[in-house]
Amino acid sequence: MLNSQIAEDVALARALAEQGRSAPLLSGGHFLGYGVLLCAAWTAHYVILKQIGNGPGLGAWLGSLWAGFGISSSVMNWALRRRLLGRPGLGSVGNRGDRAMWAGVSLALLAIIIGALLRMVLFHDFAAPNTILPAAFALYGAAMVGSFLLSGERMLLAFGLTALAVGCVAGTIASLPEMYLLGACAALVVLAWPGILLMRREPAAAA
């Protein structure tokens, strides 16, 4: 009787784990939102560099641009979190792991951004922020591959490997303004595009 009960418990746990693993990922809105927002910001960054170069006012323009990005992304995060309330599968293994990995990516990027900005302010090195974009795509790629391994969402593997390749190329051309054009285009491909695909698979919110 005891062995039978244990076997039933194991079968139930396995079934629940498989259901959680197969639950659709709910991060599509964040992918799409950040893809569009980063595309706009990096395009603006490129235009500023081409118009001003290293002339006076560069720091003020870039500071205003990325301060606006920070405010916009904070508002967007609040709206996207509210959007997910009541969605089935929010507590699945895949979605919890996905959120944990992207939280880690956000903290890593914050550390890189703070370091680059401190170097720019303390040493007047306006090329310091050029390190952020290659690192960002490398981290995006790592998180996508990790999400694929947890959730089994195969398309994230392809987009993750593409993001890693973009990070490599961006690092190679980091001294050129064109790196930001590459980042703008790549944000639509490796963030916005999979975001749309993921959102199409999302279950409706519970009534």
Side-chain angles (χ1 to χ4, degrees), residues 13 18 29 71 74 101 109 130 138 145 150-151 176 195 205:
E18 288 174 352
I71 294 170
S74 297
M101 277 184 291
L109 274 175
N130 293 341
V145 172
L150 270 176
S151 67
L176 303 176

Side-chain angles (χ1 to χ4, degrees), residues 167-190:
C168 181
V169 174
T172 305
I173 62 171
S175 61
L176 303 176
E178 285 72 21
M179 177 189 71
Y180 291 98
L181 273 186
L182 170 66
C185 295
L188 294 179
V189 173
V190 303

Side-chain angles (χ1 to χ4, degrees), residues 158-169:
F159 284 115
L161 294 176
T162 302
L164 290 171
V166 171
C168 181
V169 174

Side-chain angles (χ1 to χ4, degrees), residues 25 94 97-98 101-102 142-153 156:
L25 292 179
D98 189 59
M101 277 184 291
W102 284 102
M144 288 182 194
V145 172
S147 291
F148 155 71
L149 294 173
L150 270 176
S151 67
E153 186 63 69
L156 289 182

Side-chain angles (χ1 to χ4, degrees), residues 10 22-23 34 40 64 70 73 76 85 88-89 96 114-115 124 126-127 168 172 184 190:
V10 170
S22 63
Y34 273 101
S64 299
S73 62
M76 182 181 69
L85 295 177
R96 283 183 294 157
I114 291 173
H124 304 288
F126 292 106
C168 181
T172 305
V190 303

Side-chain angles (χ1 to χ4, degrees), residues 9-190:
D9 289 344
V10 170
L12 176 60
R14 181 178 298 167
L16 290 173
E18 288 174 352
Q19 289 170 9
R21 180 180 173 84
S22 63
L25 292 179
L26 301 175
S27 52
H30 286 82
F31 275 60
L32 176 59
Y34 273 101
V36 172
L37 200 58
L38 283 169
C39 177
W42 279 327
T43 300
H45 195 124
Y46 168 77
V47 171
I48 291 171
L49 289 178
K50 294 298 284 187
Q51 293 297 320
I52 299 178
N54 290 323
L58 176 62
W61 276 99
L62 293 181
S64 299
L65 167 64
W66 290 104
F69 174 87
I71 294 170
S72 300
S73 62
S74 297
V75 173
M76 182 181 69
N77 276 331
W78 175 81
L80 288 172
R81 282 196 296 268
R82 287 185 60 83
R83 175 183 172 273
L84 292 179
L85 295 177
R87 297 274 176 171
L90 190 60
S92 70
V93 173
N95 278 298
R96 283 183 294 157
D98 189 59
R99 290 195 299 274
M101 277 184 291
W102 284 102
V105 165
S106 298
L107 288 174
L109 274 175
L110 181 62
I112 294 168
I113 291 168
I114 291 173
L117 292 180
L118 284 175
R119 178 170 179 80
M120 183 175 69
V121 172
L122 296 175
F123 300 98
H124 304 288
D125 180 5
F126 292 106
N130 293 341
T131 59
I132 298 171
L133 190 152
F137 276 100
L139 288 167
Y140 298 158
M144 288 182 194
V145 172
S147 291
F148 155 71
L149 294 173
L150 270 176
S151 67
E153 186 63 69
R154 290 182 178 276
M155 71 171 179
L156 289 182
L157 176 60
F159 284 115
L161 294 176
T162 302
L164 290 171
V166 171
C168 181
V169 174
T172 305
I173 62 171
S175 61
L176 303 176
E178 285 72 21
M179 177 189 71
Y180 291 98
L181 273 186
L182 170 66
C185 295
L188 294 179
V189 173
V190 303

